[in-house]
Amino acid sequence: MSSMVSPTVRLKADRPDDALLARPSRIEDTGLSFDLLLELVLKHLYTKGVQTQGDLAAGLALSGAIVAMLIAQLKRQASIEVLTAVAQNGLRYALTDKGRVGALEAMDRSGYTGPAPITLEHYEALCLAQSVHRHQGTLSAMHAAFADTVIPRDLLDQLGSAVHSARPIFVYGLPGTGKTFITQRISRLLGEAVYVPHAVAVGEEIFQLFDPAFHHALEQPVDAAPDDDILHLQRGHDPRLVHCRRPFVMSGGELTMAGLEIGVDERARLETAPLQLKASNGIYLIDDLGRQRMPVTELFNRWIVPMESKQDYLTLASGKRFQVPFDVILIFSTNLEPRDLADDAFLRRIGHKIHFKPMPEAEYRRIWQDMLAARELQAEPGALDYLIEELHAKHGVPLLPSHPRDLSGMIRDRVRYTGEAPVVTPAHMRDAWENFFVSFDRDTLPQE
């Protein structure tokens, strides 16, 4: 762990307060070394070309006062030169030959050229202050979050208790029972937004954390500094942090062990956070458990220490090992039999095992009505009865919540193609059923 801690950071904050979110006004306030910041300026000038002080302040997400000090030092080192000003944009700066050599050496050590990072200690304090486990769900909150969702009450309350416990959750059941859809919606319970750093420095090494694929920035707060006043205005949160919705990260069969460790792009010399760290202060769903390109026991073993200690251990490309808070709601989801995937010892560590079953008929009919309305369709009297009593019952197909979505979509496609009235008949139900479900009758195969 880095030994440099910003004086403005309180390591025992109860929430992200002004100390954790304040804009640094001095180099010491960043917690970063002078050399690291100088190298970051050189890399910005190397990759972006000629820059003004304002351009550098915006790109580095640092105050004009800090950038001015860095520029002054680089001028003294003869690493940058001053070009003539253009209109009202102020002086422009470019690398000298010496500066280009320094920039290339810096790029060889780390290809990161984004906003200035925060320290590992700052990140740890921020992560704990906005912990996902501080926002515990209640029965009323759970029911409000799923008010527009058709879900059996006993299943809803099972999920609510699991989320409230802050322990890992294991959900299982047939494909189409709504596991992924429902677990994604748990994020509605997580409440307030969080602050995600662009990058984190572990000593003199940087790894990128912010990922727009998972971190969805909210609108700029009203007290944030406008772009044209970034050199002077001190209000607003530290721009090295992005105000985001709590993250929801999902990985499925494509997951490999490499995705759970610090990623290294050798060509770009860029290190990136693993998936569980991108999910910090939010939810990490491992979907399709058992279909990953690695043994399930290997995947489970990766989580034993973080689940018990609430700390994860990661390693940088240099071999430096460090620990970070493991602050996620970890959800495993599978279509397979749980005891075929894990032994009882591991399942006991998870705590909450929730079985997603086929829908009761009443709820199944409600989902159908909702899907028909959403697709501007109407059901002829008896159409749903025919589907349930003739097709589901006679073929032994359980009532799964995915069927209304899939079958109604096929019916909508059909009536739009034919120009028929948007009224669903038993014939429509039968045609959609036969097109959706695979039927392989050997008697109909052509003879050789």
Side-chain angles (χ1 to χ4, degrees), residues 111-365:
Y112 179 76
T113 57
I118 66 173
T119 64
L120 182 59
E121 290 85 353
H122 189 170
Y123 173 70
E124 179 180 8
L126 184 68
C127 187
L128 295 176
Q130 56 192 18
S131 171
V132 69
H133 303 308
R134 292 180 181 271
H135 194 85
Q136 293 182 321
T138 61
L139 185 146
S140 59
M142 190 74 176
H143 284 251
F146 286 86
D148 61 346
T149 306
V150 180
I151 177 174
R153 173 152 185 169
D154 59 342
L155 177 60
L156 184 62
D157 290 338
Q158 273 187 289
L159 283 167
S161 298
V163 173
H164 187 85
S165 75
R167 299 181 67 185
I169 304 170
F170 193 107
V171 300
Y172 63 100
L174 293 172
T177 48
K179 299 183 298 299
T180 302
F181 176 78
I182 295 299
T183 50
Q184 282 179 321
R185 288 202 154 200
I186 290 175
S187 60
R188 294 181 172 193
L189 288 171
L190 303 184
E192 74 283 358
V194 294
Y195 292 88
V196 179
H198 284 281
V200 177
V202 184
E204 298 298 291
E205 299 178 66
I206 300 172
F207 67 86
Q208 185 171 301
L209 177 56
F210 180 80
D211 185 340
F214 304 117
H215 300 129
H216 305 292
L218 299 172
E219 292 184 4
Q220 193 175 37
V222 294
D223 64 348
D227 293 340
D228 59 355
D229 200 20
I230 196 168
L231 296 183
H232 307 293
L233 196 60
Q234 297 302 312
R235 295 184 303 154
H237 72 266
D238 186 342
R240 295 178 298 166
L241 307 173
V242 185
H243 197 216
C244 302
R245 295 199 299 269
R246 285 193 182 263
F248 178 91
V249 176
M250 180 173 70
S251 54
E254 79 287 352
L255 177 65
T256 65
M257 193 58 70
L260 305 177
E261 305 297 341
I262 294 287
V264 181
D265 184 332
E266 295 290 352
R267 184 174 181 180
R269 303 292 295 169
L270 181 65
E271 299 187 64
T272 55
L275 291 167
Q276 70 273 19
L277 203 59
K278 293 176 181 179
S280 285
N281 299 143
I283 293 175
Y284 182 30
L285 169 63
I286 299 179
D287 206 10
D288 288 329
L289 185 67
R291 305 190 187 280
Q292 284 73 29
R293 291 177 288 173
M294 68 181 88
V296 177
T297 52
E298 184 179 346
L299 179 60
F300 279 156
N301 288 337
R302 175 63 180 81
W303 300 114
I304 289 176
V305 171
M307 286 194 308
E308 293 189 345
S309 68
K310 301 302 180 185
Q311 295 288 326
D312 199 6
Y313 295 86
L314 301 171
T315 304
L316 295 167
S318 65
K320 180 180 292 185
R321 189 169 171 80
F322 64 99
Q323 81 176 38
V324 289
F326 185 71
D327 189 75
V328 298
I329 295 176
L330 181 62
I331 303 176
F332 300 99
S333 176
T334 186
N335 301 328
L336 306 176
E337 166 59 44
R339 288 187 177 84
D340 292 340
L341 298 175
D343 58 25
D344 289 340
F346 186 85
L347 291 176
R348 281 198 302 272
R349 285 185 170 95
I350 294 179
H352 291 271
K353 277 80 69 178
I354 301 176
H355 188 189
F356 277 62
K357 303 174 184 178
M359 300 292 289
E361 183 177 327
E363 280 85 351
Y364 186 69
R365 287 177 179 271

Side-chain angles (χ1 to χ4, degrees), residues 419-439:
E420 299 173 67
V423 178
V424 180
T425 66
H428 287 133
M429 291 291 194
R430 185 187 63 249
D431 290 343
W433 183 279
E434 292 176 351
N435 284 328
F436 183 71
F437 291 100
V438 175
S439 177

Side-chain angles (χ1 to χ4, degrees), residues 54-74:
D55 294 333
L56 289 169
L60 294 165
L62 295 173
S63 70
I66 292 176
V67 172
M69 293 182 63
L70 298 172
I71 288 174
Q73 178 63 21
L74 290 171

Side-chain angles (χ1 to χ4, degrees), residues 80-132:
I80 62 173
E81 59 182 341
V82 182
L83 305 180
T84 55
V86 176
Q88 302 299 317
N89 292 333
L91 296 175
R92 299 178 300 147
Y93 301 93
L95 293 175
T96 61
D97 289 341
K98 180 181 178 182
R100 277 187 287 275
V101 171
L104 286 170
E105 291 175 349
M107 291 288 288
D108 189 57
R109 286 187 288 272
S110 169
Y112 179 76
T113 57
I118 66 173
T119 64
L120 182 59
E121 290 85 353
H122 189 170
Y123 173 70
E124 179 180 8
L126 184 68
C127 187
L128 295 176
Q130 56 192 18
S131 171
V132 69

Side-chain angles (χ1 to χ4, degrees), residues 378-385 423-427:
Q378 292 181 336
E380 181 181 286
L384 278 178
D385 295 334
V423 178
V424 180
T425 66

